[in-house]
Amino acid sequence: MTTTIDRRRLLRGAALGGGAMTLGAWTPLGARQATNGPVVSGDLIELRIGRINRLVDGRPSRSIGINGMSPAPLIRLREGQRARIRVVNDLDVETSLHWHGLLVPFQYDGVPGISFPGIPAGQSFLYDFPVRQNGTYWYHSHSGGQEQAGLYGPIVIDPAAADPVAFDREHVIVLSDHSRSSPATIFRRMKLQPGYYNFQRQTLAGLLAGRDQPAKDRAEWGKMRMDPADIADATGATYTYLVNGHGPVDNWTGAFTPGERVRLRIVNASAMTTFNVRIPGLPLTIVQSDGLNVEPVTVDEFQIGVAETYDAIVIPGDAAYTLVGESVDRSGMARATLTPRPGLTAPVPPLRARPLATMTDMGMGGMGHEDKAGAPDPTIEKNASARLATQQGAPASAAPAPDHAAMGHGDAMGGMAGMEGMGEMKHGMRDFANAPGVAKTPGVQTISPMAADRTDYPGQGLEDVGHRVLTYRQLRSLDRNPDVRAPGRQIDIHLTGNMERFMWGFDGKRMVDTHEPFAFAEGERVRINLINDTMMAHPIHLHGHFFELVTGHGDHSPRKHTVLVQPGGIVSLDLTADAVGDWAFHCHMLYHMLAGMMRVVSVRPQGAAA
């Protein structure tokens, strides 16, 4: 039902044509200037947070915004300047702003209860920090559900030196999910009724038409009390998907001159939505990920997790193009238009068939269930560790590679050791022997018996689309990594959850269950293995740091601040803990974080007591 409604809205938006376009995007602007809306910059920036009224696809809604708007104004900074940002809280509740991906002193990171006390109602706070980087970033509230209510905006930092990315024009594209329900209402409904917003469950009609899983497989999933159609917690049943604050009927529109190199700075500022992004008929050359330059790679589509950013270069011809941000569960889409002339639009593609989770998503990718891309590649981490060690003149053995076989993640025999058989695993058996350190709590519904490295996986629903789709393994840093030391130690962190009870955590513990941080010494180099024991992808974000993905690219490994860990997957990353202080570490799915998938990372000064 939701899909039909969304399609009607999209078709109605296409029929409106130029009448629904965002005329502000046509204001004449010089080359290399963002055209998504108001821009604030300078030596002292003032941001006022307050409640606003807005229209989304013609429907009124109450939101929280900055300087009277949502998304908030684009903050434009320059690498090397000092940012002084005065935030005034005009709300009747506490608020905060976090500078996502920016390397700032921890007291200005903006997380209440971890790095500062928050901004009380009616008061202000001065953020004051040096700008140490360049690229595409964003900012948002870290208080309650205010991010869902509209409190987010983009940041562009221009480089101090020449930009290695050549472009003639740029557009900032902020993707988000908007609901007329309050964040508290959405959260309560998901906790009280699992799958509350899942209107795409399997049906008898779907089974007869061959769209759904066979009855035998459905019975197996039923024994595990899981639904393979449960790809997203919050869906198009409550969300309208936005581009720069505009719904698909509003149709945000960006201008270009045919033949220009147009830079799209794409930010996923949603609360809960993984988007699959494409522009039919127009290739995208990815040049930046999470604000850092990468070697250009040309694709036709890419998946962007919550809180990730990607910069892409497109060279449009003399035609209009539809930019599509399709929700991962395909219950709706964000839609915008790039066009050389006002009034010219392009067809809006229909929503594609929704994907279904498989046994690989259950963490059985190493057991002959490679029914999707993303089979384990045991050589990647070992070879990457050896290279890192060799670069420093140390023997390869100095860099410990993760022993996934010992953990039951890399060797089929090791993964099966001590088990009665596949039947028990498929019926929901929790094999905690494969997850040492994971607390045996009601918050752990499953343990992946053999999670796989899925960094070559394009994302759910993108395996057989018939065109080029970006994967993490295709990303290579444009510059040599600043720290190429071999890791001195490694730790495993399990992403755990109970979808029936909407409980989420790390290693079986919620934030409220433990006061013990993940502790590191200043300057320490650590291999961290993120092991997803759940059937959902989780965008994991570490504040105050970048880390290198271990994908076989040695000293040009891609560096990120947020990584989407696919269901049943492992992502290994190398971290240099170079920022002293207490930092938030969490899933960027807002309601997963609020339900417990958050911890503190504590980086202690050299010489400090353990």
Side-chain angles (χ1 to χ4, degrees):
M1 180 174 66
T2 303
T3 300
T4 303
I5 294 173
D6 286 335
R7 283 177 176 158
R8 288 174 179 169
R9 287 184 178 178
L10 288 169
L11 291 172
R12 183 159 61 92
L16 288 174
M21 292 191 297
T22 305
L23 299 180
W26 292 90
T27 303
L29 291 170
R32 302 169 64 85
Q33 191 169 6
T35 58
N36 69 305
V39 180
V40 293
S41 60
D43 295 331
L44 178 62
I45 295 171
E46 182 169 290
L47 304 175
R48 302 193 73 97
I49 299 175
R51 301 194 185 277
I52 62 172
N53 294 312
R54 66 191 300 197
L55 289 176
V56 174
D57 281 352
R59 304 180 71 191
S61 181
R62 289 283 285 167
S63 295
I64 299 177
I66 290 180
N67 297 357
M69 65 191 70
S70 175
L74 167 65
I75 297 178
R76 191 113 202 182
L77 303 172
R78 179 167 290 277
E79 183 180 15
Q81 80 167 89
R82 188 159 199 92
R84 301 176 69 244
I85 304 174
R86 181 172 178 261
V87 179
V88 181
N89 183 7
D90 290 333
L91 299 171
D92 55 1
V93 295
E94 178 189 285
T95 192
S96 59
L97 284 181
H98 163 60
W99 318 102
H100 187 97
L102 268 61
L103 302 175
V104 302
F106 79 93
Q107 64 267 31
Y108 296 121
D109 190 50
V111 183
I114 295 180
S115 55
F116 87 138
I119 309 173
Q123 298 188 28
S124 65
F125 183 83
L126 180 65
Y127 292 88
D128 188 345
F129 53 85
V131 180
R132 301 167 48 196
Q133 63 211 94
N134 62 75
T136 302
Y137 303 94
W138 65 297
Y139 61 111
H140 60 86
S141 173
H142 234 288
S143 299
Q146 293 172 1
E147 181 181 341
Q148 173 78 90
L151 193 44
Y152 56 84
I155 300 172
V156 172
I157 305 175
D158 295 307
D163 196 325
V165 179
F167 60 98
D168 303 306
R169 184 192 300 261
E170 67 179 9
H171 291 298
V172 177
I173 305 294
V174 179
L175 300 169
S176 61
D177 43 27
H178 171 75
S179 177
R180 299 178 78 226
S181 297
S182 71
T185 296
I186 295 172
F187 192 32
R188 182 175 64 253
R189 285 172 173 169
M190 289 192 295
K191 287 192 70 69
L192 291 177
Q193 182 179 333
Y196 182 92
Y197 294 110
N198 181 8
F199 288 4
Q200 301 194 97
R201 293 185 178 91
Q202 298 186 99
T203 63
L204 177 60
L207 177 64
L208 295 175
R211 295 192 304 268
D212 291 343
Q213 292 180 325
K216 178 180 180 297
D217 288 351
R218 294 184 66 195
E220 294 292 349
W221 284 84
K223 292 175 183 176
M224 292 184 291
R225 303 180 72 181
M226 293 182 181
D227 181 0
D230 196 3
I231 302 296
D233 292 311
T235 71
T238 188
Y239 283 148
T240 300
Y241 300 107
L242 311 183
V243 174
N244 294 335
H246 298 267
V249 175
D250 294 335
N251 185 24
W252 182 90
T253 300
F256 65 84
T257 299
E260 284 185 323
R261 289 175 59 86
V262 181
R263 182 174 189 164
L264 303 177
R265 299 180 180 267
I266 302 169
V267 178
N268 186 348
S270 69
M272 291 292 288
T273 304
T274 299
F275 287 104
N276 296 328
V277 178
R278 70 191 194 275
I279 304 176
L282 194 59
L284 303 123
T285 299
I286 305 299
V287 294
Q288 196 178 94
S289 174
D290 283 1
L292 300 183
N293 296 320
V294 297
E295 295 180 4
V297 54
T298 300
V299 297
D300 299 297
E301 186 166 6
F302 64 91
Q303 186 169 96
I304 183 169
V306 177
E308 289 188 298
T309 71
Y310 283 101
D311 284 27
I313 297 293
V314 296
I315 305 177
D318 190 11
Y321 301 87
T322 296
L323 184 148
V324 175
E326 193 173 42
S327 171
V328 66
D329 74 320
R330 293 174 178 163
S331 61
M333 70 169 67
R335 170 261 184 134
T337 296
L338 300 176
T339 183
R341 293 181 294 280
L344 186 64
T345 60
V348 178
L351 290 166
R352 296 173 292 190
R354 56 99 163 90
L356 294 174
T358 69
M359 301 311 287
T360 301
D361 298 319
M362 277 290 296
M364 298 180 186
M367 293 183 172
H369 289 281
E370 283 80 24
D371 44 3
K372 290 185 176 182
D377 186 345
T379 65
I380 286 182
E381 294 145 1
K382 181 178 179 180
N383 291 344
S385 297
R387 275 192 292 272
L388 288 171
T390 302
Q391 288 156 11
Q392 296 298 327
S397 60
D403 186 0
H404 293 311
M407 295 187 297
H409 297 300
D411 181 328
M413 293 303 295
M416 294 296 293
M419 299 183 184
E420 294 299 324
M422 278 295 296
E424 288 189 61
M425 281 187 296
K426 291 171 71 175
H427 296 165
M429 186 181 76
R430 302 176 186 175
D431 183 19
F432 285 96
N434 282 340
V438 175
K440 299 180 181 180
T441 67
V444 184
Q445 189 174 20
T446 58
I447 294 292
S448 295
M450 193 171 290
D453 181 327
R454 305 188 74 188
T455 53
D456 66 341
Y457 176 53
Q460 287 176 303
L462 299 179
E463 306 91 340
D464 303 308
V465 292
H467 55 234
R468 298 165 296 181
V469 185
L470 183 71
T471 70
Y472 279 148
R473 283 194 207 166
Q474 293 175 279
L475 297 176
R476 284 176 53 92
S477 175
L478 185 65
D479 301 314
R480 187 170 187 259
N481 298 151
D483 190 349
V484 295
R485 292 177 298 158
R489 67 181 174 111
Q490 67 173 341
I491 63 173
D492 295 338
I493 298 176
H494 287 257
L495 318 182
T496 53
N498 186 322
M499 298 167 75
E500 278 198 310
R501 302 188 182 190
F502 206 75
M503 298 173 68
W504 303 96
F506 292 119
D507 294 334
K509 301 173 183 176
R510 299 171 299 166
M511 180 78 167
V512 297
D513 295 330
T514 178
H515 298 292
E516 181 181 353
F518 294 118
F520 302 94
E522 181 184 6
E524 184 180 13
R525 185 83 167 150
V526 185
R527 170 72 51 84
I528 299 174
N529 303 309
L530 300 175
I531 304 165
N532 191 350
D533 289 321
T534 80
M535 282 175 47
M536 284 193 168
H538 297 280
I540 303 300
H541 173 50
L542 173 60
H543 289 218
H545 297 77
F546 281 85
F547 46 77
E548 290 84 59
L549 299 186
V550 181
T551 52
H553 295 306
D555 60 359
H556 280 71
S557 297
R559 303 178 67 224
K560 293 177 64 62
H561 52 62
T562 305
V563 61
L564 187 64
V565 186
Q566 295 291 343
I570 297 174
V571 171
S572 293
L573 56 94
D574 288 340
L575 169 69
T576 299
D578 56 3
V580 171
D582 289 339
W583 303 96
F585 173 69
H586 61 95
C587 175
H588 224 286
M589 295 282 192
L590 177 64
Y591 301 110
H592 291 186
M593 181 185 73
L594 294 177
M597 193 174 272
M598 182 173 182
R599 291 280 287 278
V600 173
V601 162
S602 182
V603 180
R604 297 164 180 173
Q606 290 185 1

